[in-house]
Amino acid sequence: MTRNGQSGLTLVELMISITLGMLVVLAATALLVSSKSAYTGQDDSAKVRDTANYALELINRAARQGAYENWDTGEGGAPILTLPKMSANIAGLDASSLKDTTTAIDSPLTGATAVVNGSDVLGIRFFGSGPAGKPDNGMIDCAGFGISAPASQSTAEQDRGWSIFYVVKDTGGEPELRCKYYPDGGGTWASVAVARGVESFQVLYGLDTDGAKPGEGDRIPNQFVTATAINALDDKLSLDGADAAAQAIDKNKRTNWKRVVAIKVALLLRGTNKSRNDVLNQTYDLFGSDYSTGNAAADTGTLIKEAELPTATRNRYRKLFLADIQFRNQAEGSGK
């Protein structure tokens, strides 16, 4: 009788098969992880760009509306003007944040716990359009709500619309650029988030220093400075007036905020995913290395180092966005 040999795998063959199978699985897993990482990175990049484009367009539109006056009032109608005695149509704060319900940019929040990486506050004012109390949405604030024209010249100061931009952390700790506004016709101050992941929001103001008074220059910025620097210039003004009210009017006429003819805006945005595996030691000079070299110590937030950011968010995708915006209207007001 002939005995048939038993067929099957030896232990060595089984070990080799398992090893080869594991190598295939590892290669497939590495490919999957790499593909997912690439997809996550591309997705973050697209979202960050879309967010930045929207935020900068919103700020750009608000700036173009700044100091707007409606001269198309029909036959016999007199336009309501920004008189020299009225406050400036632009305001700002350095390294500050705001509460939603406080008036305009009053009572700012300061300090590292309240302010995200030294982010600034930018406030812009403008006249609305349409009958008082019935906006035609020709002029809207940063939240998208229509603002109507002032009821009269005597109420024009307080009837101007507001678009205020600042950065604050949401309930989950994510920094977001917010728009603060005041409803047309009255109510309470409110705000709405317009961009998430804003790690730093910085603004420089272009001053037209030509001319003895605001409005007498060539509308070309001679220098870009911080809000703190503008306020320091105002503090040096020798004001005329018999009392505080008269001096406040004189300050409104001569304030250096009415010399602002352009702004520089810088936004450092981050993605939502931990998608980076490179060396996390990049440095972001929001207004360029020449500016940060001489000013970063005083102008907090214009120089961001990844190595100094919180570990939990350090390996997110980041990108810097810049915009130069020229004001179309006269910041000092056209009324005489």
Side-chain angles (χ1 to χ4, degrees), residues 3 43 71-72 103 110 135 154 163 179 183 194 196 232 248 287 302:
R3 178 179 295 179
D43 185 56
W71 285 74
D72 185 16
T103 301
T110 58
S154 62
S163 289
C179 148
V194 296
R196 281 175 60 81
F287 291 120
T302 56

Side-chain angles (χ1 to χ4, degrees), residues 169-185:
K169 291 182 180 180
D170 65 11
T171 55
E174 189 71 10
E176 58 188 16
L177 182 69
R178 298 189 70 86
C179 148
K180 187 175 181 179
Y181 62 95
Y182 189 72
D184 185 72

